[in-house]
């Protein structure tokens, strides 16, 4: 077939031939068409999220995966690979049954949205992170186990950083302030919504060194219900377009930048001494600088030499007069 609803000329000829010979009747074709239009629907788990909303949530958490990938790579100094594996909608009971025991389950809020959500991490991934932070190679454990008190305190810091990345990823749709409320290991102690309530499950595939596992983000429909209208591709595009730089916003940013305070240091000169001479220095000792009295001095802006100057007085205050501008590197970066 050329497409889902288009027949090729050969198929049309075969169909007409079958009708003329009586192999297939018109009633059988109508019955088959009616059967194809029937779609199974489970009323126990109605779809709460449209395909467009699922797609938007997928894109949001692709950004989230990139952010935590960057953070963990810099923090653990090892090979990290995290990406979104799937985004599905299911009942909360199905999600609870899918979690291993023990697991690392962080219950967090997404203020100002009401209700709680869950960030669940496979113990292999968590213990590999902890092993790496403690100076080990980041190998997965031979057997999953619960966390000790010290390990729990360490992983709380990592999860809090993940919350910051989630806030950054979601800001294109809504400004949220994720905050961890509790850390559990038993899925049965994490009843945040009734078992039959629908949730959206974002599954991330994580590989940290030689350890592999899943990270799951479970957000109930009741939490996202107030912002469902914003979880669309059209809103995403319009929000991104609204954030594009306009001449007015550039002008405002430039005025704020011009008022920013930066350090300006005039270096009178430098001297090199030995540690023995440094220890023997006392009140009244004189250090001879490498700069001569008639030489120009350096003006350092931030940590870069930017100007040459001559010292002097303005009234009763010390001052310098700029005599030369020093260009270093790309002028566009100055």
């Amino acid at each position: 077939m050329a497409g889902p609803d288009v027949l090729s000329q050969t198929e049309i000829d075969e169909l007409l031939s079958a009708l003329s010979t009586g192999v297939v009747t018109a009633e059988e074709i109508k019955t088959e068409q009616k059967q194809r239009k029937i779609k199974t629907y489970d009323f126990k788990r109605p779809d709460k999220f449209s395909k467009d909303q699922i797609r938007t949530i997928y894109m949001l958490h692709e950004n989230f995966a990139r952010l935590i990938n960057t953070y963990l790579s810099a923090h653990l100094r090892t090979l990290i690979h995290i990406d979104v594996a799937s985004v599905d909608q299911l009942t909360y009971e199905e999600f609870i049954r899918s979690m291993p025991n023990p697991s690392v389950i962080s219950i967090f809020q997404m203020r100002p949205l009401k209700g709680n959500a869950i960030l669940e991490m496979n113990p292999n991934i968590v213990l590999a992170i902890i092993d790496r932070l403690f100076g080990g190679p980041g190998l997965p454990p031979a057997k999953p186990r619960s966390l000790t008190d010290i390990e729990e305190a360490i992983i709380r810091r990592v999860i809090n950083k993940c919350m910051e990345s989630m806030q950054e990823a979601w800001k294109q749709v809504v400004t949220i302030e994720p905050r961890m409320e509790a850390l559990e290991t038993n899925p049965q102690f994490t009843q945040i919504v009734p078992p039959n309530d629908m949730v959206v499950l974002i599954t991330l595939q994580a590989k940290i060194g030689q350890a592999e596992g899943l990270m799951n983000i479970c957000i109930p429909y009741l939490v996202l219900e107030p912002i469902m209208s914003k979880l669309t591709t059209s809103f995403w595009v319009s929000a991104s377009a609204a954030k594009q730089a306009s001449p007015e916003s550039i002008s405002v940013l430039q005025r704020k930048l011009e008022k920013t305070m930066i350090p300006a240091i005039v270096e009178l000169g430098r001297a090199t001494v030995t540690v023995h001479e440094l220890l023997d220095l006392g009140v009244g000792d004189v250090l001879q600088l490498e700069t001569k009295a008639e030489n120009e001095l350096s003006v350092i802006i931030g940590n870069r030499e930017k100007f040459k100057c001559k010292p002097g007085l303005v009234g009763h205050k010390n001052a310098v007069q700029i005599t030369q501008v020093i260009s270093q590197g790309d002028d566009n970066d100055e």
Side-chain angles (χ1 to χ4, degrees):
M1 297 178 66
D5 298 321
V6 180
L7 296 177
S8 65
Q9 186 60 46
T10 303
E11 291 171 329
I12 293 173
D13 294 338
E14 291 176 354
L15 180 59
L16 292 174
S17 176
L19 286 171
S20 61
T21 57
V23 176
V24 178
T25 64
E27 294 297 328
E28 291 177 351
I29 296 175
K30 291 181 180 179
T31 303
E32 184 179 355
Q33 289 177 346
K34 290 181 180 179
Q35 291 176 349
R36 288 177 180 176
K37 293 180 180 179
I38 296 175
K39 181 180 178 181
T40 304
Y41 187 83
D42 188 356
F43 288 92
K44 293 182 180 180
R45 44 177 301 177
D47 291 341
K48 295 287 189 178
F49 301 89
S50 66
K51 291 183 179 179
D52 194 24
Q53 290 166 341
I54 292 292
R55 190 181 304 111
T56 303
I57 294 173
Y58 187 97
M59 290 188 295
L60 284 173
H61 289 88
E62 275 188 325
N63 191 20
F64 170 71
R66 284 192 295 269
L67 291 171
I68 59 175
N69 200 354
T70 302
Y71 161 69
L72 289 176
S73 297
H75 198 53
L76 303 181
R77 298 183 182 276
T78 188
L79 180 63
I80 307 291
H81 183 71
I82 300 174
D83 57 3
V84 180
S86 64
V87 177
D88 303 298
Q89 51 181 323
L90 65 163
T91 63
Y92 184 68
E93 182 180 14
E94 291 173 328
F95 168 65
I96 290 297
R97 289 180 178 178
S98 67
M99 283 193 292
N101 186 11
S103 187
V104 179
I105 307 168
S106 170
I107 301 174
F108 66 94
Q109 291 185 338
M110 299 175 63
R111 295 181 178 179
L113 302 179
K114 296 181 180 179
N116 293 328
I118 285 178
L119 171 61
E120 183 262 332
M121 303 173 68
N122 188 280
N124 285 346
I125 295 296
V126 173
L127 292 171
I129 292 174
I130 293 172
D131 182 64
R132 185 65 184 171
L133 290 174
F134 285 173
L139 296 176
K143 184 178 180 181
R145 59 175 177 80
S146 300
L147 301 181
T148 65
D149 292 342
I150 295 177
E151 291 171 341
E152 184 175 322
I154 294 297
I155 205 62
R156 280 178 179 270
R157 298 181 183 179
V158 176
I159 293 176
N160 285 330
K161 287 293 183 180
C162 292
M163 297 292 102
E164 295 178 8
S165 299
M166 181 174 292
Q167 180 180 11
E168 179 70 19
W170 275 77
K171 73 177 184 180
Q172 294 194 34
V173 172
V174 63
T175 301
I176 60 173
E177 296 180 3
R179 188 178 69 179
M180 186 171 61
E181 295 292 317
L183 192 65
E184 298 287 349
T185 57
N186 191 335
Q188 301 303 319
F189 297 153
T190 57
Q191 295 295 332
I192 60 174
V193 291
N196 291 328
D197 277 18
M198 295 300 296
V199 300
V200 60
L201 179 64
I202 303 98
T203 302
L204 289 83
Q205 180 70 38
K207 183 176 181 181
I208 300 177
Q210 300 181 18
E212 294 187 25
L214 298 178
M215 297 172 59
N216 293 309
I217 302 173
C218 171
I219 308 177
Y221 171 79
L222 294 177
V223 175
L224 298 178
E225 187 176 13
I227 60 168
M228 289 298 286
S229 60
K230 297 182 178 181
L231 295 176
T232 59
T233 307
S234 58
F235 183 87
W236 176 289
V237 173
S238 61
S240 300
K243 291 183 179 180
Q244 290 181 355
S246 62
E248 293 79 9
S249 61
I250 293 176
S251 178
V252 172
L253 184 61
Q254 184 175 357
R255 288 197 298 269
K256 291 182 178 180
L257 187 61
E258 289 173 351
K259 296 179 181 179
T260 304
M261 304 296 291
I262 57 175
I265 301 171
V266 177
E267 187 180 81
L268 296 177
R270 298 186 180 186
T272 303
V273 297
T274 63
V275 174
H276 179 72
E277 292 172 336
L278 178 64
L279 296 174
D280 288 342
L281 286 177
V283 178
D285 290 344
V286 177
L287 285 176
Q288 184 176 353
L289 304 179
E290 297 173 356
T291 306
K292 295 182 179 180
E294 65 273 12
N295 288 354
E296 294 179 337
L297 305 180
S298 297
V299 179
I300 299 173
I301 305 298
N303 59 357
R304 178 181 295 181
E305 185 182 11
K306 182 63 180 175
F307 306 103
K308 290 292 186 180
C309 66
K310 289 185 177 181
L313 292 174
V314 174
H316 297 288
K317 294 184 177 180
N318 294 325
V320 293
Q321 181 182 33
I322 302 298
T323 58
Q324 181 184 351
V325 178
I326 299 176
S327 297
Q328 293 182 356
D330 189 356
D331 291 339
N332 294 329
D333 295 335
E334 297 294 328

